[in-house]
Amino acid sequence: MISEVFAPAKINLTLHVTGQRGDGYHLLDSLVAFADVGDRLTFTPADALSLKVTGPFGDGVPEDARNLVWQAAELAELSAHITLEKNLPHGAGIGGGSSDAAAVLRHAGSCGAAASLGADVPVCLTPQVQRMQGIGDLLTPLPALPPVWAVLVNPKVHVPTPDVFKALTQKTHPPMSTHIPAFVDVAGLINWLSDMRNDLEPPALACAPQVADVLNAVAACPDVALARMSGSGATCFGLCHTSRAAQDAATTLRVAHPAWWVQPCRLS
Ligand code: C5P
């Protein structure tokens, strides 16, 4: 029987870097949400593991043990033919590879060793709004977000995560507020978020100056209430009060920047 699993884009609505461990990994405090856009995996039972990558961002994605999907399948001792439809840009700060790996582990019912595949994989196992702390391993589920929409924008520049963390000069920043309120409406959410940050924006801008162009273009859309980078970039998001506003922002950005990846979505 063929099963299909959705691997949503992970969006860091905030990303505070609060310190660094002796082994080099950074301590984070992040509000993580998920989009209704993402990659799709199908699993067909087979005698041996195999992987085929398709989709608009499939070109050049490895179909062997270099792919996190393959590594997750081996970890879960899953024997299947897997098709991965890559709809999300990779190396983009929206957890593409991590979400794909988490989808494999969810499908196999084998989530225990997720962190061994990458710091972002555990949060992607439960694609709902969470507070992520530690190096990504301390997860607290949060009440569902009020209805909120976004436009995701990537300038098709690949920004390696280790380079961004290396370019971070100041390693210790204040955490988010101790208590994250239960947001009753999108205005309250955006108001609270506007006092928070992504501490990786300055180093990402140093690595990829195009991120500034994206942030400026997103912020300039009339219906975007807050523009910020996700993860280590280069994808940025603009938050909107309505689905219509996110679609209008996407249309404006696609016309002005036809080479960019622009995707309206709903977050949860
Ligand atoms: O765990 P993962 O392989 O996804 O992380 C990629 C890189 O990002 C790490 O090698 C490290 O340089 C950096 N990183 C970090 N602190 C974290 C997560 C990632 O320094 N909490």
Side-chain angles (χ1 to χ4, degrees):
M1 199 183 69
I2 300 178
S3 331
E4 187 174 293
V5 181
F6 181 56
K10 167 224 68 166
I11 308 298
N12 299 91
L13 292 173
T14 68
L15 182 49
H16 295 214
V17 180
T18 59
Q20 189 174 27
R21 295 197 320 196
D23 64 0
Y25 267 81
H26 293 77
L27 297 170
L28 311 174
D29 192 12
S30 177
L31 180 60
V32 180
F34 290 86
D36 62 357
V37 298
D39 296 338
R40 273 179 204 283
L41 292 89
T42 56
F43 299 87
T44 311
D47 291 337
L49 180 60
S50 60
L51 174 62
K52 171 114 193 87
V53 181
T54 65
F57 288 97
D59 274 2
V61 176
E63 296 181 323
D64 55 26
R66 288 170 295 168
N67 195 310
L68 270 188
V69 163
W70 188 288
Q71 294 168 29
E74 282 198 324
L75 195 65
E77 297 180 4
L78 182 69
S79 188
H81 174 65
I82 305 174
T83 305
L84 168 61
E85 183 187 291
K86 274 305 305 170
N87 299 314
L88 300 177
H90 23 93
I94 50 175
S98 303
S99 194
D100 296 342
V104 174
L105 298 180
R106 276 203 309 277
H107 168 74
S110 165
C111 297
S116 68
L117 295 169
D120 266 351
V121 180
V123 75
C124 293
L125 287 174
T126 312
Q128 292 160 10
V129 64
Q130 293 166 74
R131 183 176 199 160
M132 180 175 83
Q133 293 168 291
I135 62 161
D137 52 333
L138 298 178
L139 300 170
T140 310
L142 295 173
L145 294 178
V148 57
W149 287 264
V151 58
L152 308 181
V153 185
N154 183 286
K156 298 209 181 139
V157 176
H158 178 262
V159 187
T161 301
D163 294 4
V164 175
F165 275 106
K166 253 182 240 146
L168 183 71
T169 45
Q170 159 72 25
K171 306 287 186 182
T172 309
H173 301 81
M176 292 193 286
S177 54
T178 313
H179 173 68
I180 300 180
F183 304 105
V184 288
D185 56 23
V186 64
L189 169 68
I190 290 171
N191 188 37
W192 184 85
L193 286 173
S194 61
D195 289 333
M196 304 294 141
R197 315 175 303 276
N198 182 342
D199 290 325
L200 294 181
E201 272 179 20
L205 287 168
C207 294
Q210 299 92 330
V211 174
D213 302 334
V214 176
L215 281 172
N216 290 335
V218 173
C221 291
D223 290 330
V224 165
L226 180 113
R228 184 166 286 161
M229 191 181 82
S230 178
S232 55
T235 306
C236 299
F237 59 86
L239 292 185
C240 299
H241 288 72
T242 64
S243 168
R244 185 61 207 244
Q247 279 170 25
D248 287 351
T251 303
T252 305
L253 290 160
R254 280 178 180 145
V255 169
H257 302 280
W260 291 357
W261 177 74
V262 177
Q263 183 65 59
C265 63
R266 181 171 172 176
L267 301 180
S268 57

